[in-house]
Amino acid sequence: MSNFLDNLNSSQLESTLQMDGPMIVIAGAGSGKTRVLTYKIAYLMTQGVDPFNILALTFTNKAAREMKERIAYIVGDEAKNLWMGTFHSVFARILRIESHKIGYTSNFTIYDSDDSQKLVARIIKELNLDKEQYKYKIIFSRISSMKNNFISSDQYINDDEMLLSDKISNRPKFHEIYKQYVERCFRAGAMDFDDLLLKTNELLNSYPDTLSKYQNIFRYILVDEYQDTNHSQYLIIRSLSDKFQNICVVGDDAQSIYSFRGANINNILNFQKDFPDSKIFRLEQNYRSTKNIVNAANSIIEYNQKRLKKNVWTNNESGEKISVNKLLTDGEEGRFVASSIFENKMKFQMHNSDFAILYRTNAQSRSFEDALRKKNIPYRVYGGLSFYQRKEIKDVLAYLRLLINNDDEQAFKRIINFPARGIGLTTLNKISIEAKNKSVSDYTFIKNYSKSSSILNSSTKNKLLEFVVMIESIKTKLESLDVFEITKEVLKQSGLYNLYKNDESIEGVSRIQNIEELLNGIKDFVENNDKGQVSVSTFLQDVALATDQDNESNDNNKVALMTIHLAKGLEFPFVYIVGLEENLFPSAMNLNSRTELEEERRLFYVALTRAEKKIYLSHVLSRYRWGKPVDSEKSRFIDEINEEFIEKNVIQNSIARNFSNDNQYNKVGVRYKKPEKKLPSNFIKIKSSSLKSNLFDSKLAVGNIVMHERFGKGRVISIEGVGGDKKAEIIFEKNVVKKLLLRFSKLDIIS
């Protein structure tokens, strides 16, 4: 493939042909940066550079594998000799060779996250520390952060500021845990993932001859996704490239979205300072998206102050404008998206896999899963289990199952010691044997026979009976309370809520969000079903039907549901970016500084640039929080998009009609229903009896004087929308301005 360079545009070709010296390639979304990196390596080899002298670093094994395959297609089997892989895999390879210098054997063990966390948990237990105060996942996360910032345990112990911070956070013994963890790993001849970087830095800093050896080996260094590198990775790259300075980094500062994993955007922003003689190349032509999408994304990222200048453009068609959709509730948001996907599939003859729903947090998947399922649209949740298959959700459902069926053995076994009650496996085995002898379920045994049992000690009996009392007390309320109220009782009395609420780890935050979303879903179920159909049993039946589809087939033709972080690097013809409300996106946790806000905006930029043809944005006026409707404010990011690239839609009437006529949807007892509480102040909901007056009133015009039964006399200052979405802005007495949906409002025209 001697003519492979013919596949490059002028900008791509220029950066590919530059062989020597430091260089940075600023590559906009969809601009072909992977192609440039691949062809550049192939070009170096065609120019006589030995593949053993080329180091190419990526962030995923998949990316490394695909690049190597492409290179092999161009230059042949010599591609096998490249030093190419992830940071961790390449440096693990080096450490296998050089580990004896830092006191390890070449066959050292590599601990995964689970191994590391279990070791931390053991150390906390051995030190007799409060496991609630010292949650092992939080402690391990902090240890990882220290290592990625190149702060050893010895340095930590001598840092008064850090020690003071630990005291303030009521974890004064963190330094001891850190020290013991490091020592235990060393004694075990083990390294964790962070050590693979930390120890490589240690090796290169402590042994100049070793550094010189690898500097001479790696005469050409190429780094993909440079904006995602952390401090430890940065130091290694700087050290290895210092001699020949033939370093090429490729990345996009606008797609730096992993600071929570230690990524430092300053690495790419300061590259030219680190290498004053560096050349800069810009890949600005987007091959993925329409003009409207590219220009909208550009208008967003301009709000960030910390960025490298580039002007992304495309020769693609203008395409459709970005659709901004305002819905009433999160339930209706799910139904709108599902219906839109169905209509687009039919209209354009698209595959399910051509559609993606992107959200800020995993917990948001629930409403979309429910709506897609009711439309018989297959979907796949990426980066996690389907909502009802998540551990914390199955825990709550197990309690509900046991409430209505005491003989449900699986539910019993799942929750009898969760949260922990001191009921171990030995005890459960004894109970099972005795229950079998009496031909009753395990629960029935401990309820009716455990008090007189000779195989259980008094302490165990008390624990078991406490569990029974809790279950039975909630059972007494099954007839009088709906499933929403019962679930709240379960969360409170079982201790599940406190267990997850007190877990400050990333996993803990995610779990409490999922618990909250379960409550929201149950509340939606209650409000959208007749009073006699809101029991625990009917809800569990609905969930059972929901999870039938989780019997996965090998069919990949499914709508993709994922967080925006997971979507990076992917592309889809149709993209739905949902939940665009303040404190959700941008996240409330990332509004404490400009740095955090700018990363949230970059995340939105990444979401926009996943789309090839069409983008739908959606936000709601009222979103459930712990089962209660709370007013939501539209995300600032929507307003930051230049208006010429968007079209706005207010409350989709067509969706209401679509779902109300959907027989399958009605079969499961759910109907389209507008919220009855807490709509924003600029929207007025009037009793249904008032709808007869001026639905879609075509006579109303700007300047008309009108009378409203609640707000009195007012003057129409603007009218927008058509049909059922027609809305009037009216200034009433005392300069009170209200926006009224005409289909909800009873107005008498005075003049």
Side-chain angles (χ1 to χ4, degrees):
M1 281 194 70
S2 57
N3 62 338
F4 68 94
L5 295 179
D6 295 343
N7 296 319
L8 303 176
N9 65 32
S10 58
S11 298
Q12 293 171 336
L13 182 62
E14 187 183 8
S15 56
T16 299
L17 296 179
Q18 176 65 39
M19 288 184 59
D20 298 328
M23 58 181 289
I24 178 172
V25 182
I26 306 299
S31 63
K33 69 173 179 65
T34 303
R35 170 177 286 190
V36 166
L37 204 57
T38 303
Y39 282 27
K40 188 172 184 66
I41 295 170
Y43 179 72
L44 287 171
M45 292 173 66
T46 63
Q47 297 304 298
V49 178
D50 193 322
F52 285 101
N53 295 138
I54 299 174
L55 170 63
L57 297 168
T58 66
F59 273 85
T60 66
N61 288 311
K62 182 184 176 188
R65 187 169 56 253
E66 289 177 352
M67 285 174 62
K68 194 172 271 191
E69 287 172 357
R70 292 187 197 179
I71 296 166
Y73 183 66
I74 299 171
V75 301
D77 288 344
E78 275 293 296
K80 294 178 181 177
N81 298 324
L82 289 163
W83 283 74
M84 176 180 280
T86 63
F87 282 86
H88 292 93
S89 66
V90 169
F91 298 142
R93 182 179 169 186
I94 292 173
L95 287 169
R96 293 287 185 201
I97 301 169
E98 309 291 346
S99 57
H100 63 280
K101 295 178 181 177
I102 53 174
Y104 285 82
T105 62
S106 61
N107 62 343
F108 61 83
T109 302
I110 299 176
Y111 280 171
D112 61 18
S113 295
D114 188 55
D115 294 326
S116 298
Q117 289 178 7
K118 285 179 178 176
L119 176 55
V120 170
R122 281 200 300 274
I123 293 169
I124 291 169
K125 186 177 181 180
E126 289 168 9
L127 292 173
N128 292 318
L129 299 174
D130 185 351
K131 64 180 183 182
E132 293 300 314
Q133 197 65 48
Y134 292 86
K135 293 183 181 297
Y136 70 91
K137 288 184 179 179
I138 295 175
I139 299 299
F140 174 68
S141 178
R142 185 156 171 75
I143 290 173
S144 178
S145 177
M146 292 302 108
K147 288 185 176 183
N148 283 326
N149 284 290
F150 211 38
I151 302 168
S152 68
S153 59
D154 291 336
Q155 289 173 311
Y156 193 97
I157 291 172
N158 294 316
D159 193 311
D160 292 337
E161 194 172 317
M162 288 182 178
L163 295 178
L164 179 62
S165 174
D166 289 340
K167 285 182 181 178
I168 294 171
S169 61
N170 291 320
R171 298 190 187 104
K173 298 293 184 180
F174 170 79
H175 67 280
E176 289 189 30
I177 302 171
Y178 187 11
K179 189 173 188 307
Q180 284 208 28
Y181 174 78
V182 170
E183 290 174 351
R184 296 273 282 274
C185 284
F186 183 75
R187 286 204 304 270
M191 297 188 197
D192 62 23
F193 284 153
D194 301 312
D195 283 330
L196 298 177
L197 302 179
L198 186 69
K199 299 299 181 184
T200 301
N201 264 309
E202 182 183 324
L203 181 71
L204 298 178
N205 287 335
S206 303
Y207 297 90
D209 57 327
T210 304
L211 173 60
S212 178
K213 172 184 173 181
Y214 287 99
Q215 284 177 336
N216 286 316
I217 292 175
F218 304 137
R219 296 184 177 232
Y220 290 87
I221 299 174
L222 303 97
V223 186
D224 193 17
E225 305 286 8
Y226 191 62
Q227 76 279 353
D228 294 333
T229 53
N230 61 30
H231 186 58
S232 194
Q233 290 163 335
Y234 164 80
L235 291 173
I236 295 171
I237 294 165
R238 282 293 309 273
S239 297
L240 290 174
S241 63
D242 192 49
K243 184 174 182 177
F244 292 100
Q245 299 213 350
N246 294 326
I247 178 170
C248 171
V249 302
V250 181
D252 183 6
D253 60 296
Q255 298 187 65
S256 178
I257 59 175
Y258 295 117
S259 66
F260 68 94
R261 293 198 319 215
N264 188 348
I265 191 175
N266 290 318
N267 293 346
I268 193 169
L269 294 177
N270 296 333
F271 182 84
Q272 288 177 288
K273 292 180 181 176
D274 294 333
F275 298 92
D277 298 328
S278 62
K279 294 184 178 180
I280 185 167
F281 300 88
R282 290 181 172 85
L283 306 183
E284 296 176 319
Q285 183 176 358
N286 179 293
Y287 292 93
R288 176 185 299 155
S289 310
T290 63
K291 283 188 174 71
N292 269 313
I293 293 172
V294 169
N295 292 333
N298 286 343
S299 71
I300 278 289
I301 207 64
E302 284 177 0
Y303 281 86
N304 276 8
Q305 294 181 5
K306 291 178 70 175
R307 61 190 180 91
L308 297 170
K309 287 186 178 179
K310 61 179 179 295
N311 179 36
V312 182
W313 59 277
T314 184
N315 275 330
N316 294 340
E317 63 181 2
S318 294
E320 293 186 50
K321 290 186 176 182
I322 293 174
S323 175
V324 179
N325 303 274
K326 183 188 296 184
L327 289 307
L328 291 172
T329 67
D330 45 353
E332 291 181 15
E333 182 182 39
R335 294 189 275 275
F336 159 69
V337 170
S339 183
S340 175
I341 290 173
F342 182 82
E343 290 174 4
N344 281 322
K345 272 182 64 184
M346 297 299 103
K347 183 178 179 181
F348 300 107
Q349 294 300 294
M350 307 297 289
H351 299 290
N352 293 314
S353 55
D354 292 328
F355 299 87
I357 304 171
L358 307 183
Y359 34 74
R360 184 64 180 83
T361 65
N362 274 309
Q364 292 170 255
S365 75
R366 194 270 312 165
S367 62
F368 304 101
E369 289 187 60
D370 288 350
L372 289 168
R373 189 174 63 253
K374 291 177 173 72
K375 277 289 191 183
N376 273 334
I377 300 173
Y379 64 87
R380 178 181 172 187
V381 179
Y382 287 79
L385 296 168
S386 179
F387 184 81
Y388 292 109
Q389 294 300 311
R390 294 169 191 171
K391 179 190 178 303
E392 56 276 14
I393 303 303
K394 295 183 78 169
D395 291 338
V396 178
L397 296 180
Y399 274 95
L400 297 180
R401 285 165 51 189
L402 191 66
L403 283 173
I404 63 170
N405 178 12
N406 291 162
D407 295 333
D408 189 328
E409 292 291 326
Q410 293 304 313
F412 172 80
K413 284 182 167 60
R414 186 178 188 95
I415 64 174
I416 180 63
N417 198 44
F418 191 81
R421 300 183 177 89
I423 302 168
L425 189 60
T426 303
T427 299
L428 290 177
N429 288 336
K430 290 178 180 177
I431 291 170
S432 293
I433 293 168
E434 289 294 303
K436 191 176 181 179
N437 291 336
K438 294 185 179 296
S439 300
V440 296
S441 68
D442 289 4
Y443 180 85
T444 302
F445 172 80
I446 63 173
K447 178 184 173 183
N448 296 334
Y449 302 105
S450 62
K451 202 177 275 187
S452 59
S453 173
S454 59
I455 62 170
L456 303 172
N457 61 45
S458 57
S459 174
T460 301
K461 289 179 184 179
N462 289 335
K463 292 170 183 174
L464 291 169
L465 290 172
E466 283 175 8
F467 176 78
V468 169
V469 168
M470 176 193 64
I471 296 296
E472 295 299 314
S473 68
I474 301 174
K475 276 177 68 177
T476 61
K477 303 174 182 178
L478 285 174
E479 296 296 324
S480 58
L481 299 179
D482 60 42
V483 60
F484 177 72
E485 296 297 333
I486 290 293
T487 306
K488 287 202 301 183
E489 286 288 318
V490 164
L491 287 168
K492 180 181 175 182
Q493 293 197 38
S494 68
L496 282 174
Y497 172 76
N498 285 334
L499 176 73
Y500 291 127
K501 187 70 175 175
N502 294 330
D503 187 350
E504 300 169 17
S505 67
I506 294 173
E507 295 91 342
V509 171
S510 176
R511 282 175 176 154
I512 200 68
Q513 288 174 339
N514 288 333
I515 294 287
E516 177 184 355
E517 189 56 35
L518 175 65
L519 278 177
N520 297 341
I522 295 175
K523 186 69 174 179
D524 191 51
F525 175 85
V526 169
E527 291 193 346
N528 287 291
N529 280 280
D530 296 330
K531 195 169 181 180
Q533 300 294 316
V534 294
S535 66
V536 172
S537 58
T538 53
F539 173 73
L540 288 175
Q541 179 181 312
D542 195 63
V543 170
L545 294 172
T547 53
D548 279 347
Q549 80 145 34
D550 294 322
N551 297 323
E552 288 284 341
S553 66
N554 292 323
D555 182 16
N556 291 320
N557 184 24
K558 298 177 180 180
V559 175
L561 278 72
M562 66 183 76
T563 64
I564 302 165
H565 282 100
L566 281 178
K568 187 169 176 286
L570 304 177
E571 55 190 46
F572 304 89
F574 290 80
V575 171
Y576 294 79
I577 308 171
V578 300
L580 277 161
E581 297 124 43
E582 289 292 299
N583 299 321
L584 182 55
F585 193 16
S587 168
M589 294 189 298
N590 291 332
L591 292 176
N592 301 312
S593 68
R594 180 173 298 279
T595 299
E596 291 177 346
L597 176 60
E598 290 198 350
E599 175 144 339
E600 287 289 301
R601 188 175 287 112
R602 291 195 296 271
L603 192 60
F604 185 50
Y605 175 87
V606 167
L608 290 173
T609 54
R610 298 313 92 199
E612 297 172 359
K613 297 184 180 299
K614 177 69 177 179
I615 293 175
Y616 293 85
L617 308 180
S618 60
H619 65 102
V620 303
L621 302 180
S622 177
R623 187 173 293 276
Y624 280 121
R625 293 281 188 268
W626 296 106
K628 297 179 180 179
V630 176
D631 292 354
S632 296
E633 181 185 352
K634 178 178 64 175
S635 171
R636 69 190 74 190
F637 296 153
I638 293 176
D639 292 329
E640 290 175 359
I641 301 174
N642 192 313
E643 285 195 353
E644 68 177 292
F645 307 124
I646 64 175
E647 59 180 9
K648 297 180 181 179
N649 301 307
V650 181
I651 306 177
Q652 308 293 315
N653 267 316
S654 61
I655 306 303
R657 293 193 296 274
N658 189 1
F659 273 86
S660 65
N661 295 326
D662 188 332
N663 292 330
Q664 184 200 359
Y665 189 65
N666 287 332
K667 277 180 187 176
V668 294
V670 183
R671 63 178 182 273
Y672 179 91
K673 183 178 179 182
K674 292 178 279 295
E676 298 178 353
K677 313 177 197 177
K678 292 198 175 184
L679 284 176
S681 59
N682 64 340
F683 274 80
I684 312 302
K685 187 170 187 327
I686 306 298
K687 292 180 181 177
S688 58
S689 61
S690 69
L691 296 178
K692 61 187 181 183
S693 176
N694 54 313
L695 187 66
F696 323 143
D697 194 335
S698 60
K699 298 177 182 178
L700 196 65
V702 174
N704 280 160
I705 304 299
V706 297
M707 180 62 73
H708 188 276
E709 63 181 11
R710 180 176 171 189
F711 300 106
K713 188 184 294 184
R715 177 169 57 86
V716 180
I717 56 178
S718 72
I719 295 177
E720 62 185 65
V722 295
D725 292 331
K726 199 168 188 179
K727 181 172 61 177
E729 192 172 21
I730 304 171
I731 183 167
F732 292 102
E733 295 169 350
K734 298 182 180 179
N735 290 323
V736 175
V737 179
K738 298 289 182 181
K739 281 187 180 179
L740 306 179
L741 279 173
L742 297 186
R743 65 191 178 99
F744 289 156
S745 307
K746 185 175 181 179
L747 296 172
D748 294 320
I749 301 174
I750 299 174
S751 64

